[in-house]
Amino acid sequence: MLKRAKAFSGFSVNDLQKAKKFYSEILGLEVVDNPMGLIELQIEGSNKILIYPKPNHAPATFTILNFPVDSIEQAVAELTARGVVFEQYKELKTDEKGISRNPPGPKIAWFKDPAGNILSVIEE
């Protein structure tokens, strides 16, 4: 029954306008208004991602969205220049840029959206 469904993801934020500005202006993603008063991220080659307001929003304590990149160094540099602050984790041994380079895992760096949800850039 669900085998052929075009599933999509969604997550909450506490301020839809701040989220719209962050995802469109800072991250450079295509953000469209949804007819139900929500917003959607339109990412090439992917299903839509729904973002909805929630008055009692609690930020996710795990990574909700990963952005594969060719070069983690370049992605971190560009996002840092746009004002993104990367998280520092002792247990994951992030460097001064916020990049975890722990084999056998991928090179990955985490940051938060204005609602406190955790996102990442991850080198493929």
Side-chain angles (χ1 to χ4, degrees):
M1 175 174 100
L2 300 178
K3 190 174 175 178
R4 291 193 173 95
K6 293 186 97 177
F8 63 93
S9 180
F11 58 89
S12 71
V13 296
N14 55 354
D15 187 320
L16 205 56
Q17 291 310 309
K18 279 185 183 176
K20 186 174 184 178
K21 183 174 181 173
F22 176 78
Y23 284 96
S24 64
E25 295 178 19
I26 303 297
L27 299 187
L29 300 174
E30 182 180 351
V31 179
V32 297
D33 293 316
N34 178 290
M36 297 182 293
L38 314 175
I39 59 174
E40 295 177 9
L41 302 180
Q42 303 288 318
I43 300 175
E44 188 176 324
S46 178
N47 285 341
K48 66 184 175 188
I49 299 167
L50 188 66
I51 301 176
Y52 55 92
K54 186 175 176 194
N56 59 347
H57 165 77
T61 58
F62 52 87
T63 309
I64 61 163
L65 196 54
N66 297 286
F67 294 96
V69 295
D70 293 329
S71 168
I72 192 117
E73 295 287 342
Q74 182 179 354
V76 167
E78 288 178 16
L79 290 170
T80 298
R82 292 178 178 205
V84 172
V85 176
F86 285 87
E87 297 297 300
Q88 296 290 323
Y89 296 117
K90 287 182 183 179
E91 66 277 5
L92 299 171
K93 299 178 184 161
T94 53
D95 64 17
E96 67 282 348
K97 295 177 184 178
I99 301 171
S100 174
R101 305 167 192 274
N102 297 312
K107 293 178 184 174
I108 185 169
W110 295 271
F111 60 99
K112 293 180 180 177
D113 72 3
N117 294 311
I118 302 169
L119 315 172
S120 85
V121 286
I122 183 168
E123 189 171 283
E124 289 195 304

